[in-house]
Amino acid sequence: MCFAHKLPLIGVNHVEGHIHAVVMEAAGRGEQVEYPALALVVSGGHTHLFEVREGFHYRLLGKTRDDAAGEAFDKVAKLLGYGYPGGPIVDMLAPYGDPEAIRFTLARMKGNVLDFSFSGLKTAVLRWTEQHVMLAEIEARRALLRVKPQPAMEEWLALNAEANSRSVGLISENRDR
């Protein structure tokens, strides 16, 4: 397009742009980033960890080996019935959850210990939902989305509260047996 219109082409590193945006935002608030700094760039397509030095000199410390964190958020949210993109919904509901409720193992990889892997987490969530018979709960969320494409926080929380009370009932029934 630039060639056809005889315009200059300016190459922009998209991942680097994320880092510059944070520095510019800090400057806008009258703050200064102290260097060296650590930059974690997390989006739907990227998960990178950089060392950032004065003058925007970067050193890649780690990156995702498979799916990016944002992609994993979205896929898990869709699996759980929150629709797509579901990452923002999961992020919004996270403060209401119990971080100790379910323990998933961390990925163990050879090589760079600062690399990331999220594909196994998606599989672990799928297996967990299958083992804990969550189909009715997931379908209730999907039904809500069909009726209301952007449910309010209270509507999501109400569905989760119903699911949590059912789970508690199932646990106590199993204990009594």
Side-chain angles (χ1 to χ4, degrees):
M1 188 175 212
C2 288
F3 179 75
H5 293 284
K6 297 182 179 162
L7 296 170
L9 175 65
I10 301 171
V12 176
N13 182 323
H14 170 213
V15 176
E16 195 173 333
H18 285 287
I19 299 169
H20 282 271
V22 171
V23 173
M24 288 172 55
E25 190 176 289
R29 292 190 309 264
E31 300 170 4
Q32 198 172 9
V33 174
E34 291 184 38
Y35 297 101
L38 193 59
L40 177 62
V41 180
V42 179
S43 71
H46 306 283
T47 304
H48 290 95
L49 186 63
F50 290 98
E51 173 189 31
V52 183
R53 296 208 165 262
E54 197 86 42
F56 288 106
H57 296 283
Y58 309 100
R59 183 168 62 109
L60 179 64
L61 301 174
K63 64 183 178 2
T64 188
R65 291 193 185 179
D66 44 45
D67 299 336
E71 181 184 359
F73 256 73
D74 285 339
K75 287 183 177 177
V76 165
K78 185 175 179 185
L79 168 74
L80 294 174
Y82 291 109
Y84 182 87
I89 296 165
V90 172
D91 193 43
M92 178 179 70
L93 292 171
Y96 300 93
D98 177 1
E100 304 297 320
I102 304 168
R103 287 278 184 209
F104 292 117
T105 58
L106 296 174
R108 296 201 176 141
M109 301 176 292
K110 293 181 180 178
N112 186 355
V113 296
L114 296 177
D115 278 351
F116 304 93
S117 174
F118 297 102
S119 64
L121 181 60
K122 293 183 312 186
T123 303
V125 171
L126 173 64
R127 298 293 174 253
W128 194 92
T129 59
E130 291 170 344
Q131 292 169 359
H132 291 84
V133 193
M134 293 182 61
L135 193 56
E137 181 178 339
I138 292 167
E139 187 48 47
R141 291 185 190 120
R142 290 178 179 155
L144 174 61
L145 280 174
R146 283 192 294 274
V147 175
K148 190 170 185 183
Q150 294 187 325
M153 167 76 97
E154 295 75 27
E155 293 168 300
W156 287 123
L157 290 173
L159 282 178
N160 288 336
E162 290 171 21
N164 289 338
S165 64
R166 283 195 308 273
S167 298
V168 169
L170 288 172
I171 291 167
S172 18
E173 283 176 27
N174 288 332
R175 282 188 190 149
D176 293 341
R177 289 183 187 174

